[in-house]
Amino acid sequence: MFSLIQLESFVAVAEELHFGAAAARLNMTQPPLSRQIQLLERELGALLFERSSRKVELTAAGRTLLPSARRILDLCTKTELDVRRVSTGDAGSITIGYTAIAGQSGLPGILRLASSHLPGVSLVLREAVSTDQLDGLSRGSMDIGLLRPIVARPGVVSRPLMEDRLVAALPEGHDLATGKGVMLKELDGLPLMMYSTAEARYFHDLVMRLYDSAGAHPNITQFASQVPALLAFVAAGLGITLVPASAMAFSPPGVVFEELVGPAGLADLNHADLHIAWNESNTNPAVARLLDLILAGDAGG
């Protein structure tokens, strides 16, 4: 099999049509250059140049080889550059998981950040509930997750990305939709659209803690794993729910929101913060660069 140095020597001579000029272009002397051409001709079993004391010309075989030789050398150069870019985080791909609401709140800032600072990196986006994101981070099928802090997973670390809180979502025209806030106790017994324990344990447990803190009793009539589905129930007039305040900007028609009021200590309890998570064993340089940018606080704009 011929070598890259043989192809480089051939292309240089083919383009210069002069062994001395080709040798100078390759920063070598003429005898080693002639030797590389001879080795290539022997390997291919064909004469590539017609040589005389006055000129050098390509043979038919040489003319056939030249475009392919150029493509091979160009591909090698491109491959070398691509590998270097990936190794420094300038290229490659990042798979980002996100919840439905994070896709509207936290994700856009990260996409802008990546577009501005890592234009050569492609992003693969996957909407998933927090538990599924943790599974993906653990298995390595996801690089970064935008999720709610639920159970810990070995090797998966997270940091707060955005502060959030729960608010009451009510059907338009509901008696409690006064614009003055809702006491948690006032939700006692109302039909509650509730988070699934299997897929949205974080929000399920938070809602239960909030109800318990006020001595209120949830009357759960529907379950869903994602905020948009719960808001659809509310818009249909089937009951009320508690959702992150960040969801207010992306609500369907027919839903109004009220801040939760009391009891004492509610503000300390009512945290629904969005976290960014990743597997600490991830070796993707592009992931490391994007995380550095996000954790530096640049993703919020």
Side-chain angles (χ1 to χ4, degrees):
M1 178 62 67
F2 51 77
S3 66
L4 291 179
I5 184 61
Q6 290 169 5
L7 287 184
E8 289 174 342
S9 299
F10 165 73
V11 169
V13 175
E15 292 178 347
E16 300 290 343
L17 293 178
H18 190 285
F19 274 78
R25 169 172 152 180
L26 296 174
N27 295 313
M28 60 194 304
T29 59
Q30 190 169 328
L33 174 63
S34 297
R35 177 62 176 164
Q36 294 300 329
I37 298 298
Q38 292 169 1
L39 290 172
L40 180 59
E41 290 177 326
R42 184 181 305 169
E43 183 69 35
L44 296 176
L47 189 67
L48 300 175
F49 296 100
E50 294 283 358
R51 307 167 179 87
S52 72
S53 59
R54 288 184 298 176
K55 63 179 179 178
V56 175
E57 292 183 334
L58 282 166
T59 64
R63 289 192 297 272
T64 300
L65 175 61
L66 183 56
S68 295
R70 285 169 171 159
R71 285 195 298 270
I72 292 170
L73 294 175
D74 286 346
L75 178 61
C76 290
T77 300
K78 181 180 183 301
T79 300
E80 180 183 0
L81 292 174
D82 287 347
V83 170
R84 288 180 178 176
R85 291 177 67 217
V86 168
S87 69
T88 58
D90 290 326
S93 67
I94 301 173
T95 300
I96 301 177
Y98 60 95
T99 62
I101 294 303
Q104 303 291 337
S105 55
L107 183 61
I110 290 176
L111 299 184
R112 288 191 294 269
L113 198 63
S115 176
S116 175
H117 295 273
L118 303 172
V121 175
S122 61
L123 302 180
V124 180
L125 306 180
R126 295 180 183 171
E127 182 177 321
V129 296
S130 296
T131 51
D132 290 345
Q133 288 187 55
L134 284 172
D135 290 340
L137 292 170
S138 296
R139 293 193 307 265
S141 59
M142 287 187 184
D143 295 307
I144 292 174
L146 302 180
L147 45 76
R148 307 294 169 173
I150 49 178
V151 295
R153 295 289 178 89
V156 176
V157 295
S158 69
R159 298 289 184 273
L161 182 66
M162 291 178 58
E163 292 185 354
D164 213 342
R165 65 192 184 284
L166 292 187
V167 296
L170 311 168
E172 196 170 35
H174 195 281
D175 290 344
L176 295 179
T178 64
K180 300 178 181 179
V182 171
M183 296 287 293
L184 279 166
K185 188 66 175 177
E186 295 178 284
L187 304 180
D188 193 327
L190 296 179
L192 176 64
M193 310 296 104
M194 188 53 155
Y195 297 91
S196 164
T197 56
E199 297 179 305
R201 168 66 68 177
Y202 173 85
F203 280 132
H204 178 278
D205 291 350
L206 177 56
V207 170
M208 293 302 296
R209 288 196 298 272
L210 289 172
Y211 268 73
D212 288 344
S213 71
H217 300 88
N219 175 23
I220 301 171
T221 58
Q222 299 284 349
F223 286 95
S225 62
Q226 291 278 26
V227 171
L230 294 174
L231 290 175
F233 284 136
V234 175
L238 300 183
I240 63 100
T241 192
L242 303 184
V243 297
S246 55
M248 292 192 293
F250 318 106
S251 175
V255 180
V256 295
F257 299 92
E258 292 284 345
E259 293 288 344
L260 297 178
V261 181
L266 174 65
D268 294 331
L269 183 62
N270 187 13
H271 281 281
D273 299 342
L274 180 67
H275 281 219
I276 183 167
W278 66 95
N279 193 314
E280 61 185 354
S281 65
N282 192 310
T283 58
N284 185 338
V287 172
R289 288 195 60 188
L290 182 56
L291 285 172
D292 286 343
L293 291 167
I294 294 169
L295 296 176
D298 295 330

